[in-house]
Amino acid sequence: MADTFFAVVFPTACSLCQREITEATLIDICGDCWAHLKPWTGAACAHCGLPFSSERALDSSVAECPQCRVEEFQFDLARSYGLYAGKLRAAILQLKFRRRERLGKRLGELLGQKWNSLVSNHDGVPPVLIPVPLHRTRKRERGFNQAELLAQGLRRKLSQTATAPGLRVETRCLYRTRATPPQTGLSLHQRKENVRDVFAVARPERIRDRVVILVDDVMTTGATLSAAAGVLKKAGALQVLGLTLARATPQFPDPDAAEPRQTIDDFDHEWT
């Protein structure tokens, strides 16, 4: 209530378009910009969710992207809310590098729109939400883990709609054993090697015989989600599904980014 009052009495500028916000809001993003945070509704890979540039890709007997056809990811399925471009990309960068923790939870609520396309009924036993962890040194530097905020926002949204009662966010189960160097300029094989054996499970009883939803902000090559899914399955997870806010793909370059590859390489924690 206090935040709403100050938003009306002391208007501020939208952090994405810089125009003055005239409506009451708990985050400094105007209604027009928030409306541009749209989900991807076009054709996509049936396995990893990679957006296709043409609906004709679905005409194939196997509606999968080239990478899924030649590589076996360790997650069972993955979906992303939207493209890592435009307003959504800008909002993610705001979240990660300007300590926008409330924004993270609001963005996490958007993931609820992909829930039904990812999760089916599992005998009434709710899945477990696990944010992809940062290494403790990286989390100490940043002050928070953006994936945790997204997972919390998703849980709150689903609890409001009674879509997944009993859903919990598990933050002390999966952890990173070491800090990984940046993956800028590395090949797909090198990226996979960079995250090999980087994850471990501390409390396997929390996920044994359960469906796990891995939550992260951006998916690029899928190497991080796959590596995390592998250790969760070895620890007893029944199924591991990936859910990210955005998907970075060269098929859909961001016209608003002067150097889109540098932005992804330098800032996406999946690559660092």
Side-chain angles (χ1 to χ4, degrees), residues 76-77 115-128 163-165 167 209-213 237-241:
D76 296 279
L77 202 68
W115 185 259
N116 290 335
S117 66
L118 181 70
V119 182
S120 58
N121 184 27
H122 295 283
D123 299 325
V125 179
V128 179
T163 301
L167 194 67
D209 298 324
R210 301 290 293 274
V211 174
V212 171
I213 312 296
L238 180 66
Q239 191 179 32
V240 180
L241 311 173

Side-chain angles (χ1 to χ4, degrees), residues 57-120:
L58 299 180
D59 296 337
S60 171
S61 59
V62 181
E64 294 183 346
C65 67
Q67 187 176 354
C68 284
R69 293 184 183 186
V70 300
E71 180 178 355
E72 190 170 332
F73 285 116
Q74 297 187 77
F75 52 76
D76 296 279
L77 202 68
R79 292 292 182 266
S80 299
Y81 172 77
L83 298 175
Y84 187 66
K87 301 291 187 182
L88 185 58
R89 168 187 165 273
I92 291 173
L93 294 179
Q94 289 269 336
L95 162 64
K96 294 173 69 170
F97 303 107
R98 296 191 181 180
R99 297 197 61 136
R100 305 293 307 285
E101 298 182 41
R102 180 172 291 152
L103 173 61
K105 295 179 180 179
R106 284 290 304 277
L107 290 172
E109 294 181 6
L110 298 177
L111 294 175
Q113 298 183 38
K114 291 294 180 178
W115 185 259
N116 290 335
S117 66
L118 181 70
V119 182
S120 58

Side-chain angles (χ1 to χ4, degrees), residues 54 83 105 110 120 124 137 142 164 168 184 200 220 254:
S54 172
L83 298 175
K105 295 179 180 179
L110 298 177
S120 58
T137 57
R142 184 169 294 175
R168 74 172 191 269
T184 305
T220 49
D254 185 4

Side-chain angles (χ1 to χ4, degrees), residues 214-235:
L214 272 174
V215 179
D216 208 357
D217 55 351
V218 181
M219 178 179 176
T220 49
T221 65
T224 299
L225 286 181
S226 185
V231 301
L232 288 167
K233 284 188 171 182
K234 289 180 180 178

Side-chain angles (χ1 to χ4, degrees), residues 122-239:
H122 295 283
D123 299 325
V125 179
V128 179
L129 294 178
I130 295 186
V132 173
L134 296 175
H135 188 263
R136 60 181 180 276
T137 57
R138 185 68 176 275
K139 186 176 181 180
R140 189 181 308 119
E141 292 171 358
R142 184 169 294 175
F144 64 96
N145 178 4
Q146 65 276 5
E148 289 184 18
L149 299 176
L150 294 174
Q152 292 167 7
L154 173 61
R155 186 200 62 78
R156 181 173 64 186
K157 181 65 175 181
L158 296 178
S159 65
Q160 291 172 350
T161 59
T163 301
L167 194 67
R168 74 172 191 269
V169 179
E170 183 63 61
T171 60
R172 297 186 179 183
C173 179
L174 184 68
Y175 66 96
R176 289 185 183 243
T177 60
R178 67 179 188 279
T180 54
Q183 301 206 63
T184 305
L186 299 183
S187 66
L188 175 59
H189 174 73
Q190 289 171 326
R191 289 171 186 154
K192 290 165 61 177
E193 290 298 314
N194 200 31
V195 293
R196 185 184 297 276
D197 299 326
V198 76
F199 294 107
V201 175
R203 304 175 68 181
E205 71 278 1
R206 304 288 286 178
I207 51 96
R208 188 173 294 120
D209 298 324
R210 301 290 293 274
V211 174
V212 171
I213 312 296
L214 272 174
V215 179
D216 208 357
D217 55 351
V218 181
M219 178 179 176
T220 49
T221 65
T224 299
L225 286 181
S226 185
V231 301
L232 288 167
K233 284 188 171 182
K234 289 180 180 178
L238 180 66
Q239 191 179 32

